[in-house]
């Protein structure tokens, strides 16, 4: 494609706007289509960003309780919900407004509306002002993202039933909250409400929280959440919900269920997300939608229709903003004619609970499934000076290492600030660092990042802060 | 309403001038039908339609410059080919939202044939085929056995594309094996749903080439396809169809751009297994390579498969230098390959711009023609050729031939001069074994073959093919005549397998049917001699003090002078000539 490629991006989330901005930087004519006032998508408006703002507050509240142990006692906090909401909204507006400006500076034509396909090269845009327009493009990038999945049996037309969007609106602080689904969204939002004073019950169908994550990473979180939440019910399903006016009656089913039904002020359904691949007119193109509704793409993010690319949640798991942004950039580079492919060695995943759980690259679960021989080197945070000063020794850092080459294949961290620490792990995996490289890199003292270095030292049996008797 | 857009025409072709438009509003078009002639930088090509239906509006006119992707015309009603998903998903979006898992089955069950018409009249008709189609829906065409020891080949040319109709016996691709380029005929009939291979790929016996859409387009069309004689797709027309198909197919693969990274796309008729669900979209399952992102991208940019590069760093880590060194290695290997005089690949002086002096057309030289070019150039470059000419008086033989012709005919063969020449040469090769040999220069040895298998050059639509008749010395002339007839038919019907064309020890080429008084055939390497026959004619011969009209057959023997001396060649050819003159010799000496 030449420089004056005319490209459209449908969807202004982190994947879509990253794609649009890069396309503009590469000299293309760019149209970004999204119903919101500014770019940002679910991540900024109804996802990562507002939830992190609230989790920051939750953390402060939790620490204020813990401060008693350190000799500082606070009175019970007064929570001004309206103020909290407007602060959260201020964060969102500041960031999305910034994206709007970045968009203008790049001369991206931002069209507020929804797009439908007329054919592989033409979109019919229904604009927010009520007008309609057909626009033609050389290439189209679909970045329509995903939405909360719905369980039909748990559908009630009452504000007491919430999905993640509703929960983030923070209309009140309910006395009790049922969280259906023990994945990262349920645990993060459940933590927010618990910190604000709500009695939270989490129900997970499978045998553990955060299905898919290594169990040793989940354990410290589970322990802490058990204290923070009213109850965590595993191997349990919610079979029905009933609006009884003054609350919602939920029925449970499962081996460990002692109370088969219970009343809740509110219910949050967080059972995953579904790709937004039902784009009007998509059948007029050659785009193929696979099972579970994901649009099929190749490594260049190109769909079965050569003029159409797709990125982000709508093309597959993991549905993460940073994966979408990277894909968006790869797709645009591919359109620009560069020989590129989406081929990361590590996509980090972070759960922003307290403690945070983060991992990247190979997991132990996956290695077991593949019957792959690996060595795991773990460093418990009780041996970290920094963790102890924070009164947070409930963490652990581990490296998954190839025994032949000593290459770092995966990193897992649980503990306060794990989300920030994992970045070093991602870099190590992407750069094909050996455990020795990590061990020989000087890390600043006293920080939690030392746990990464020391876990590499554990691999060689020479960790400074862990004594391991010589074998034999 | 469906739009027909200019498909990809090939590498680096982005546009063309519309020379001729072959459709008009109101006309009905069907998939594969030529709808326009386009002049590109490279050739004038006929562009086949990928849609069926009645043309509504034409959006271009002759003389226009048309870009790939530009809408040419719109058709009414009928569905675009290959997009059997369209009607299904059009009908289903509501269901899709709720139950995506059901989408595939829905598609499979209701996928109408491409020409399934929208008109209510034909609806009942199209309603029945699905029952048939689900039975034959899993129709797959796999690469059949091609011959002994041939387990794979390079796909040179693909002649089908999704939506194309194939009939049994119709050539669907050209495959280059170690031994020959062969056209592979389809063993199934129907409408191609998905093509699972692409040009340039190595294909193994048993590998799925394409899958069929649910059954025949319409019952009526099936029968017409069945009834269509195979000859229908031979000759110029067939070549043209194949050419169009090839262009179309090439465009398709280009468009797809899935290569070189084509992910395993779920097979059309099968359902993809839930096992795949957890996979990150677009990534294939290869263990992460020990190279930094920047190095991986560099490899991609220079066209190196990073998995081929050996890392010099700790733990096998691949550095930028490793990639560069590997790429350099590839380049110099390629360069040295170019320098060695490889057959058919001589550096030839640059061609002038022929277009300066008039219109030209460029046509792909892939397939049999390229193979022939390579092979003959190799022969010519390897073998010091000499051609010995002689004449045989076949007056008596001709009478014998005429007498025994009915006998051969009874057996299903044709008593031709070539058939007789086979017998004559087999006898001569027994007497002169160095003509039935090969030279092994590397080992400095001569390979004498204890069997006599003679190739007979056949002129076919596709070019020169040389089927081989085995153990000629053990067969009588009638048997040879029958076998020769069978092989010629096979050659014409494009049914020759590589096995039919290998293992020859000597070759006969007969141009007598066309004319000429002599020529210098090129030895079919690694054989060492070839006998050419020209047209026999009545000539005055000085016999017993007077001229007599005799039927004279001109003989031309080219031979490898490295192994065969001129005197031996003269003796061999004289022996052959005398054998023709006195068929009795055969029974005595042969």
């Amino acid at each position: 494609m030449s420089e004056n490629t005319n490209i459209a991006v449908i969807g202004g989330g982190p994947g879509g706007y990253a794609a649009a901005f890069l396309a503009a930087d590469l000299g293309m004519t760019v149209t970004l289509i999204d119903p919101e006032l500014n770019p940002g998508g679910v991540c900024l408006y109804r996802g990562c960003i507002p939830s992190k703002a609230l989790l920051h507050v939750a953390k402060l509240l939790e620490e204020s309780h813990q401060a008693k142990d350190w000799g500082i006692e606070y009175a019970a906090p007064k929570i001004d919900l309206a103020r909290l909401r407007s602060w959260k909204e201020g964060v969102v507006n500041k960031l999305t407004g910034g994206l709007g400006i970045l968009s203008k500076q790049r001369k991206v034509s931002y069209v507020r509306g929804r797009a439908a396909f007329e054919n592989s090269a033409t979109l019919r845009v229904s604009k927010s002002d009520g007008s309609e327009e057909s626009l033609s493009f050389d290439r189209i990038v679909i970045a329509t993202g995903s939405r909360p999945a719905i369980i039909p049996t748990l559908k009630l037309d009452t504000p007491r039933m919430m999905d993640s969007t509703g929960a983030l609106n923070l209309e009140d602080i309910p006395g009790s909250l049922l969280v259906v689904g023990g994945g990262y969204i349920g645990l993060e939002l459940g933590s927010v409400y618990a910190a604000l004073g709500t009695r939270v019950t989490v129900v997970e169908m499978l045998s553990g929280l955060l299905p898919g994550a290594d169990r040793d990473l989940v354990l410290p979180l589970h322990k802490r959440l058990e204290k923070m939440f009213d109850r965590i019910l595993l191997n349990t399903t919610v079979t029905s919900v009933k609006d009884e006016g003054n609350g919602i009656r939920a029925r449970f089913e499962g081996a460990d269920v002692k109370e088969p039904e219970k009343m809740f002020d509110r219910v949050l359904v967080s059972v995953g997300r579904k790709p937004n691949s039902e784009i009007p007119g998509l059948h007029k193109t050659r785009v193929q939608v696979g099972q579970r509704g994901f649009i099929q793409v190749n490594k260049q993010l190109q769909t079965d229709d050569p003029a159409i690319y797709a990125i982000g949640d709508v093309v597959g798991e993991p549905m993460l903003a940073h994966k979408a942004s990277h894909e968006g950039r790869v797709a645009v580079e591919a359109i620009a004619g560069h020989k590129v492919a989406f081929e990361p060695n590590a996509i980090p995943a972070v759960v922003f609970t307290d403690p945070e759980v983060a991992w990247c690259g190979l997991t132990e679960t996956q290695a077991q499934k593949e019957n792959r021989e690996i060595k795991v080197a773990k460093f418990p945070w009780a041996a970290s000076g920094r963790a102890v000063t924070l009164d947070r020794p409930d963490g652990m850092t581990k490296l998954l290492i190839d025994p032949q080459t000593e290459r770092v294949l995966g990193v897992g961290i649980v503990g306060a600030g794990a989300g920030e620490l994992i970045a070093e792990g991602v870099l190590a995996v992407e750069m094909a660092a050996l455990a020795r490289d990590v061990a020989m890199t000087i890390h600043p003292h006293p920080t939690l990042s030392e746990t990464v270095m020391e876990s590499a030292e554990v691999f060689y049996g020479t960790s400074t802060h862990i004594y391991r008797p010589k074998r034999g | 309403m469906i739009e027909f857009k200019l498909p990809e025409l090939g590498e680096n072709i982005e546009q063309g001038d519309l020379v001729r438009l072959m459709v008009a509003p109101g006309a009905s078009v069907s998939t594969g039908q030529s709808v326009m002639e386009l002049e590109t930088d490279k050739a004038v090509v006929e562009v086949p339609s990928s849609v069926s239906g009645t043309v509504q509006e034409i959006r271009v006119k002759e003389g226009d410059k048309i870009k790939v992707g530009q809408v040419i015309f719109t058709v009414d009603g009928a569905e675009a080919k290959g997009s059997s998903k369209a009607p299904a998903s059009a009908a289903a979006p509501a269901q899709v939202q709720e139950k995506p898992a059901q989408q595939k089955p829905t598609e499979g069950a209701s996928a109408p044939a491409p020409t399934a018409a929208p008109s209510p009249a034909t609806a009942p008709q199209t309603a029945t085929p699905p029952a048939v189609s689900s039975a034959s829906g899993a129709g797959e065409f796999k690469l059949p056995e091609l011959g002994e020891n041939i387990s794979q080949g390079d796909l040179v040319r693909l002649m089908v594309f999704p939506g194309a109709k194939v009939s049994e016996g119709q050539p669907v691709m050209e495959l280059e094996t170690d031994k020959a380029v062969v056209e592979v005929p389809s063993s199934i009939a129907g409408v191609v749903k998905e093509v699972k291979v692409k040009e340039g790929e190595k294909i193994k016996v048993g590998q799925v080439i394409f899958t069929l859409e649910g059954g025949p387009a319409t019952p009526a069309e099936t029968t017409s396809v069945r009834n269509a004689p195979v000859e229908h797709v031979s000759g110029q027309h067939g070549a043209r169809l194949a050419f169009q198909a090839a262009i179309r197919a090439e465009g398709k693969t280009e468009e797809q751009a899935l290569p070189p990274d084509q992910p395993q796309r779920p097979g059309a008729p099968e359902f993809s297994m839930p096992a795949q669900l957890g996979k990150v979209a677009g990534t294939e399952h290869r263990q992460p390579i020990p190279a930094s992102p920047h190095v991986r991208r560099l490899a991609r940019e220079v066209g190196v498969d990073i998995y081929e590069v050996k890392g010099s760093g700790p733990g096998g880590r691949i550095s930028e230098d490793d990639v560069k060194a590997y790429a350099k290695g590839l380049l110099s290997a390629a360069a040295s390959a170019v320098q060695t005089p490889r057959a058919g690949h001589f550096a030839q002086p640059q061609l002038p711009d022929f277009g300066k002096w008039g219109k030209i057309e460029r046509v792909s030289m892939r397939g049999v023609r390229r193979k022939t070019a390579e092979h003959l150039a190799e022969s010519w470059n390897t073998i010091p050729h000499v051609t010995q000419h002689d004449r045989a008086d076949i007056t008596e033989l001709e009478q014998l031939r005429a007498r025994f012709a009915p006998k051969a005919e009874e057996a299903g063969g044709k008593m031709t001069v070539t058939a007789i020449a086979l017998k004559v040469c087999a006898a001569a090769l027994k007497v002169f074994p160095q003509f039935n040999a090969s030279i092994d220069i590397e080992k400095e040895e001569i390979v004498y073959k204890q069997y006599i298998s003679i190739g007979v050059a056949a002129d076919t639509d596709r070019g020169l093919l040389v089927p081989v008749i085995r153990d000629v010395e053990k067969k009588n002339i009638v048997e040879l005549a029958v076998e020769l007839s069978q092989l010629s038919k096979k050659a014409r019907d494009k049914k020759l397998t590589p096995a039919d064309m290998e293992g020859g020890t000597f070759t006969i080429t007969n141009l007598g049917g066309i004319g000429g008084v002599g020529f210098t055939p090129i030895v079919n390497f690694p054989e060492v001699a070839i006998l050419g026959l020209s047209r026999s004619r009545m000539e005055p011969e000085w016999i017993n003090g007077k001229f007599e009209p005799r039927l004279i057959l001109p003989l031309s023997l080219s031979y490898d002078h490295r192994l065969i001396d001129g005197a031996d060649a003269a003796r061999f050819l004289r022996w052959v000539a005398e054998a023709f003159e006195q068929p009795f010799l055969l029974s005595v000496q042969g």
Side-chain angles (χ1 to χ4, degrees):
Chain A
M1 282 276 114
S2 57
E3 270 198 355
N4 44 28
T5 304
N6 192 358
I7 179 176
V9 179
I10 308 173
Y17 76 71
F21 289 3
L22 179 64
D25 289 344
L26 294 178
M28 300 182 195
T29 307
V30 187
T31 303
L32 180 58
I33 303 160
D34 191 281
E36 296 285 353
L37 177 64
N38 279 309
V42 167
C43 171
L44 276 91
Y45 283 99
R46 293 174 298 279
C48 330
I49 294 300
S51 66
K52 257 80 272 172
L54 295 178
L55 279 161
H56 173 66
V57 173
K59 184 170 187 182
L60 179 74
L61 286 168
E62 280 300 301
E63 286 192 333
S64 73
H65 298 310
Q66 212 185 345
K68 213 196 290 182
D69 301 341
W70 314 329
I72 312 281
E73 202 161 341
Y74 292 99
K78 267 193 230 155
I79 296 171
D80 180 347
L81 210 51
R83 186 96 184 257
L84 177 55
R85 266 198 307 265
S86 79
W87 175 70
K88 176 204 74 176
E89 273 147 28
V91 170
V92 169
N93 291 339
K94 186 172 185 149
L95 291 174
T96 53
L99 288 172
I101 292 167
L102 284 172
S103 181
K104 280 195 191 79
Q105 286 169 333
R106 285 186 162 91
K107 312 253 182 314
V108 169
S109 158
Y110 185 79
V111 179
R112 233 187 131 177
R114 293 185 182 275
F117 280 92
E118 286 191 345
N119 56 48
S120 301
T122 313
L123 293 176
R124 179 138 204 97
V125 184
S126 313
K127 298 190 191 171
S128 302
D129 61 15
S131 65
E132 280 209 352
E133 192 179 359
S134 277
L135 299 166
S136 286
F137 303 96
D138 300 320
R139 294 287 184 272
I140 295 171
V141 178
I142 300 173
T144 47
S146 62
R147 63 181 185 282
I150 296 165
I151 301 179
T153 53
L154 302 186
K155 240 174 134 178
L156 281 181
D157 191 21
T158 155
R160 292 183 187 276
M161 281 305 284
M162 307 184 291
D163 58 15
S164 55
T165 309
L168 284 168
N169 286 345
L170 208 65
E171 279 166 26
D172 60 4
I173 300 173
S176 60
L177 171 72
L178 170 64
V179 176
V180 184
Y184 75 96
I185 297 172
L187 297 187
E188 285 183 15
L189 289 173
S191 299
V192 169
Y193 278 90
L196 292 172
T198 302
R199 279 170 285 111
V200 175
T201 299
V202 173
V203 171
E204 167 56 46
M205 198 170 70
L206 300 177
S207 60
L209 297 176
L210 296 178
D214 284 347
R215 289 302 97 191
D216 56 349
L217 297 179
V218 178
L219 188 66
L221 172 65
H222 191 114
K223 278 186 183 160
R224 196 169 170 98
L225 288 180
E226 269 182 335
K227 285 181 207 147
M228 204 173 166
F229 291 167
D230 218 23
R231 263 174 316 168
I232 298 172
L233 301 174
L234 301 175
N235 298 309
T236 304
T237 48
V238 178
T239 53
S240 72
V241 284
K242 199 172 156 208
D243 187 3
E244 300 201 339
N246 59 342
I248 290 177
R249 183 173 297 280
R251 288 181 164 278
F252 306 124
E253 214 165 76
D256 311 331
V257 174
K258 295 191 183 95
E259 243 180 314
E261 56 176 63
K262 199 167 190 287
M263 287 287 287
F264 294 94
D265 293 330
R266 281 182 183 264
V267 176
L268 163 63
V269 179
S270 52
V271 291
R273 299 184 64 82
K274 289 181 71 176
N276 291 330
S277 52
E278 303 87 354
I279 304 158
L282 193 63
H283 64 277
K284 295 176 189 165
T285 70
R286 282 152 55 186
V287 172
Q288 297 273 2
V289 179
Q291 288 199 5
R292 291 184 68 206
F294 291 119
I295 290 177
Q296 292 182 10
V297 290
N298 64 13
K299 279 180 116 179
Q300 282 70 37
L301 288 315
Q302 190 181 31
T303 67
D304 292 79
D305 194 316
I308 302 174
Y309 289 67
I311 59 160
D313 291 2
V314 79
V315 303
E317 303 275 7
M319 298 199 211
L320 296 170
H322 44 262
K323 186 210 71 163
S325 313
H326 189 80
E327 284 181 339
R329 296 177 66 90
V330 169
V332 166
E333 286 177 307
I335 289 168
H338 299 298
K339 288 185 187 164
V340 295
F342 179 71
E343 49 186 357
N345 283 352
I347 301 173
V350 180
V351 185
F352 290 90
T353 43
D354 184 23
E356 293 178 351
V357 181
W359 65 93
C360 72
L362 191 65
T363 63
E364 275 189 79
T365 315
Q366 193 187 336
Q368 270 162 18
K369 214 186 287 169
E370 291 173 14
N371 221 352
R372 212 171 149 187
E373 199 196 335
I374 48 156
K375 281 247 161 72
V376 181
K378 293 186 189 181
F379 185 82
W381 283 20
S384 156
R386 186 63 181 135
V388 175
T389 65
L390 295 169
D391 199 10
R392 291 306 301 270
D394 57 334
M396 189 263 290
T397 299
K398 68 171 176 180
L399 303 182
L400 279 69
I401 297 162
D402 182 304
Q404 260 85 53
T405 60
E406 301 189 353
R407 182 179 159 199
V408 179
L409 297 173
V411 180
I413 307 175
V414 56
E420 304 287 335
L421 293 176
I422 197 63
E424 182 184 359
V426 182
L427 190 63
V429 174
E430 283 289 359
M431 298 298 291
L434 305 190
R436 196 167 294 283
D437 295 323
V438 177
M440 291 173 71
T441 301
I442 298 175
H443 285 61
H445 182 73
T447 63
L448 294 170
S449 73
E450 288 171 291
T451 65
V452 178
M453 173 183 74
E454 292 228 25
S455 57
E457 291 172 359
V458 165
F459 176 73
Y460 296 104
T462 59
S463 165
T464 308
H465 295 98
I466 290 180
Y467 172 69
R468 202 170 65 180
K470 289 262 187 301
R471 272 168 293 175
Chain B
M1 191 189 73
I2 288 138
E3 290 173 338
F4 172 64
K5 284 183 233 159
L6 186 61
E8 296 273 347
L9 298 170
E11 225 170 317
N12 298 326
I13 302 183
E14 278 169 13
Q15 59 177 29
D17 293 324
L18 180 55
V19 181
R20 197 158 67 100
L21 200 57
M22 305 173 185
V23 288
S28 73
V29 292
S30 58
T31 303
Q33 178 187 333
S34 295
V35 288
M36 59 187 197
E37 254 177 40
L38 204 70
E39 181 173 347
T40 70
D41 297 346
K42 305 203 171 151
V44 175
V45 291
E46 277 187 10
V47 180
S49 173
S50 58
V51 301
S52 312
T54 305
V55 175
Q56 271 196 326
E57 185 192 352
I58 303 227
R59 303 242 177 115
V60 293
K61 56 181 196 296
E62 286 180 11
D64 278 359
K65 219 174 242 322
I66 299 180
K67 285 198 176 139
V68 169
Q70 187 175 335
V71 176
I72 309 300
F73 57 82
T74 60
V75 296
D76 180 17
E79 281 310 329
K81 69 95 218 174
S83 61
S84 55
K85 64 167 176 124
S89 37
Q95 298 166 0
V96 169
Q97 273 181 345
E98 296 305 320
K99 303 171 187 168
Q102 286 195 353
Q103 190 195 355
K104 278 280 177 182
T106 318
E107 243 183 86
S110 66
T115 48
S119 84
T122 53
Q125 254 186 326
T126 51
T128 32
V132 184
S133 73
S134 49
S136 63
E140 285 178 341
F141 174 63
K142 291 182 194 157
L143 187 61
E145 295 276 345
L146 297 169
E148 224 172 316
N149 298 328
I150 301 181
S151 57
Q152 59 177 28
D154 293 325
L155 180 53
V156 180
R157 210 170 69 154
L158 199 57
M159 305 172 182
V160 290
F161 50 88
K165 255 182 272 169
V166 292
S167 53
E168 273 183 49
Q170 175 187 334
V172 288
M173 59 186 200
E174 257 178 38
L175 205 68
E176 182 171 349
T177 68
D178 297 346
K179 312 220 161 125
V181 175
V182 289
E183 273 187 7
V184 180
S186 172
S187 57
I188 53 177
V191 176
V192 176
K193 174 155 186 176
E194 188 188 0
V195 177
K196 303 222 169 185
V197 293
K198 59 184 198 303
E199 287 180 12
E201 262 181 6
K202 228 177 236 324
I203 297 179
K204 292 207 169 114
V205 168
Q207 188 175 335
V208 176
I209 309 301
F210 58 82
T211 58
L212 286 188
E213 196 104 38
T218 65
E221 277 182 64
T222 335
T223 40
S224 77
V225 166
R226 290 240 173 92
N227 293 344
V230 180
E231 282 73 22
H232 191 67
V233 284
S234 66
Q236 287 292 352
H237 181 60
R240 173 160 269 219
L241 278 181
F243 179 59
Q244 289 167 1
I247 283 178
R248 170 70 206 181
E250 275 175 32
K252 172 83 182 155
T253 47
E254 285 291 327
E255 282 175 318
Q256 287 304 74
L258 293 181
D261 290 314
Q262 185 153 23
Q264 296 85 4
R265 298 168 58 197
E270 313 96 323
F271 304 112
S272 43
M273 288 294 121
Q276 275 198 319
L277 293 182
K279 239 183 62 177
V280 175
T283 61
E284 9 172 335
H285 197 72
R286 276 165 118 182
Q287 295 300 348
I289 193 83
S292 74
H294 149 77
V295 170
R296 302 203 297 269
R297 169 144 326 170
L298 174 75
R300 201 166 265 285
E301 275 164 2
V302 300
V304 165
D305 178 3
I306 190 128
Y307 284 82
E308 301 284 316
V309 181
K310 207 170 145 34
S312 62
R317 189 192 296 150
I318 300 164
S319 67
E320 194 175 321
D321 287 342
D322 291 337
V323 172
K324 284 180 180 163
Y326 183 84
K328 227 177 253 171
L330 283 186
L331 280 180
S332 59
S336 61
V338 166
Q339 276 162 12
T340 30
R342 259 198 64 214
H345 289 290
F346 274 99
Q348 87 175 5
Q350 196 163 7
L351 292 174
D353 174 13
F354 298 111
K356 274 196 303 207
W357 304 295
K359 210 163 171 181
I360 57 163
E361 183 183 354
R362 280 177 174 266
V363 176
S364 162
M365 210 177 96
R366 285 174 174 175
V368 173
R369 181 43 50 196
R370 189 188 70 190
K371 198 78 194 166
T372 305
E374 285 177 3
H375 183 66
L376 289 178
E378 188 171 277
S379 285
W380 185 252
N381 294 322
T382 313
I383 298 174
H385 278 74
V386 181
T387 306
Q388 172 77 17
H389 298 282
D390 209 327
R391 306 156 77 239
D393 180 341
I394 55 165
T395 318
E396 321 281 320
L397 186 84
E398 179 54 25
Q399 287 162 6
L400 275 176
R401 192 187 69 80
R403 181 137 40 99
F404 286 106
K407 197 160 195 174
E409 208 150 309
E410 228 170 75
K414 208 172 159 200
M415 182 67 75
T416 58
V417 172
T418 312
I420 297 165
L422 276 167
K423 189 67 200 169
V424 169
C425 288
L429 291 170
K430 261 176 154 178
V431 179
F432 300 87
Q434 73 269 39
F435 287 83
N436 198 46
S438 286
I439 302 175
D440 188 337
I441 282 286
E442 245 168 60
K443 295 200 180 131
E444 301 182 355
E445 285 173 352
I446 299 165
V447 184
Y448 289 100
K449 288 152 227 170
Q450 311 280 330
Y451 54 89
I452 295 172
S453 295
I454 299 181
V456 180
D459 172 37
T460 74
D461 294 338
R462 305 157 57 212
L464 174 65
L465 296 175
V466 188
V468 173
I469 296 181
R470 272 168 227 298
D471 303 322
V472 179
E473 80 280 13
K474 294 178 190 156
K475 294 170 182 165
N476 66 38
I477 294 184
V478 172
E479 284 168 340
L480 291 171
V482 171
E483 198 173 335
L484 187 59
S485 301
Q486 285 166 350
L487 277 179
S488 314
K489 184 172 186 314
K490 252 178 140 178
R492 280 196 309 273
D493 293 349
K494 305 175 180 177
K495 298 247 166 78
L496 281 182
T497 64
D500 289 332
M501 295 188 270
E502 61 194 20
T505 59
F506 184 85
T507 299
I508 296 175
T509 168
N510 186 351
L511 294 180
I514 303 164
V517 293
F519 62 106
T520 56
I522 293 180
V523 175
N524 189 8
F525 182 86
E527 297 165 16
V528 289
I530 181 170
L531 178 66
L533 308 176
S534 296
R535 170 165 288 184
S536 44
R537 69 177 78 217
M538 277 299 176
E539 288 181 24
E541 285 288 298
W542 187 253
I543 295 170
N544 294 333
K546 59 175 186 199
F547 281 109
E548 275 185 32
R550 305 294 292 183
L551 190 61
I552 301 297
L553 170 67
L555 304 171
S556 310
L557 176 80
S558 291
Y559 57 92
D560 187 337
H561 207 347
R562 293 177 302 172
L563 183 63
I564 296 163
D565 295 332
D568 289 335
R571 279 184 208 112
F572 177 89
L573 197 56
R574 201 78 285 286
W575 197 98
V576 169
E578 281 171 17
F580 272 116
E581 283 162 13
Q582 304 166 43
F584 181 61
L585 260 186
L586 287 180
S587 47
V588 180
Q589 293 182 317

